[in-house]
Amino acid sequence: MSTVALAPARYVEQVMGLPFSLALRGRHTSDAAAREAWAAVVADLREADRVFSTWRADSWVSRLARGEVELGECPPEVREVLELGNAAAHASHGAFAVARPDGHGGTVFDPSGVVKGWAAERAARHLAELPETDHCLSAGGDVLAWTADPVGRPWTIGVEDPADPQRVIARLPVWRGAVATSGTAHRGAHVVDGRTGLPPLGVRQVTVVGDSLTAVDIDATSAFALGREAATWLRARGRCGVVVHDDGRVEVVG
């Protein structure tokens, strides 16, 4: 008979300039299989950082931006990420952009709006190989949750109040899915409207819920970049989520 841990085991690692944390509950939480799976997740994330970091001069993305290599010379995942970014740019009417104005007549090439969620979802495949084990992987606050029993005990994901991160404005039960939030509470005005290069107006935070962390991360960023159009755009996409307007009003979508 296997022993099942009642309390989740937790792991944390700083990767890609962000804290990635993992909670495991069920059959494998702190045994060798769990530790090996977490090590594989971290290794995948570090490899993604090596390829995509805009802070590393030797990354493939940095070299591509400087014109030192062609796209065809880069690892195939670079094309995959750029295709996701281009699709998001089209869907958001240019608000989401991997190449955007820098406000000084130049252009910033930065696929980071795709990479975090995409890399976390890709790395989480190692966790899905743990039998009878639930996992909840947080990528700097964006969450991928999975339960071995699709009708069992869900993970509960809290949505912070951007004006007071100690306060939770919504609690979302998630069995197998993802939650992503874009806003200014923790990282300041790091998201800009790709059409102008300026921070969006009229919105403080956007949270999106769905099946894929890659998709909800991109859509949360796109909606936030659209500013006052965020809730309308999410409804047109058929998305569910929570929008916090700049006056503090909370609007539930879906």
Side-chain angles (χ1 to χ4, degrees):
M1 179 181 297
S2 61
T3 300
V4 177
L6 298 179
R10 301 186 184 277
Y11 302 80
V12 181
E13 192 76 28
Q14 192 81 10
V15 191
M16 300 168 69
L18 296 166
F20 281 76
S21 62
L22 171 67
L24 293 174
R25 68 187 186 198
R27 180 177 172 186
H28 296 284
T29 58
S30 55
D31 59 5
R35 292 191 296 272
E36 288 171 8
W38 176 235
V41 168
V42 173
D44 275 11
L45 294 173
R46 293 201 186 284
E47 176 61 15
D49 189 53
R50 188 186 71 81
V51 172
F52 290 102
S53 175
T54 58
W55 298 98
R56 294 179 56 157
D58 63 342
S59 74
W60 282 100
V61 159
S62 293
R63 294 173 65 198
L64 182 63
R66 293 194 300 266
E68 296 175 2
V69 294
E70 299 292 332
L71 180 58
E73 300 175 83
C74 296
E77 53 264 35
V78 175
R79 182 182 295 275
E80 179 183 347
V81 163
L82 293 183
E83 287 176 351
L84 287 168
N86 290 335
H90 177 75
S92 65
H93 316 295
F96 185 103
V98 295
R100 64 180 187 274
D102 65 2
H104 305 287
T107 300
V108 175
F109 177 66
D110 184 3
S112 300
V114 176
V115 172
K116 182 179 66 170
W118 171 88
E121 187 162 32
R122 193 165 175 260
R125 70 186 188 277
H126 301 292
L127 304 172
E129 295 173 359
L130 294 171
E132 300 176 45
T133 305
D134 302 342
H135 63 260
C136 185
L137 178 64
S138 173
D142 297 333
V143 177
L144 179 66
W146 193 88
T147 60
D149 182 351
V151 294
R153 180 163 59 107
W155 294 98
T156 301
I157 311 302
V159 179
E160 292 178 352
D161 182 345
D164 179 7
Q166 301 302 313
R167 178 174 175 263
V168 174
I169 59 175
R171 287 181 172 84
L172 309 173
V174 180
W175 284 264
R176 295 181 176 182
V179 180
T181 297
S182 183
T184 60
H186 292 282
R187 298 175 62 194
H190 68 290
V191 175
V192 299
D193 184 335
R195 300 165 294 188
T196 64
L198 300 174
L201 300 175
V203 65
R204 288 186 185 177
Q205 180 174 283
V206 175
T207 298
V208 180
V209 185
D211 296 329
S212 162
L213 183 56
T214 303
V216 297
D217 189 22
I218 290 173
D219 278 5
T221 302
S222 297
F224 184 79
L226 282 160
R228 294 186 179 93
E229 305 169 54
T232 300
W233 184 80
L234 287 174
R235 287 192 178 92
R237 295 277 285 175
R239 284 296 191 193
C240 296
V242 180
V243 175
V244 181
H245 297 271
D246 60 355
D247 60 2
R249 180 169 54 93
V250 177
E251 183 174 359
V252 176
V253 178

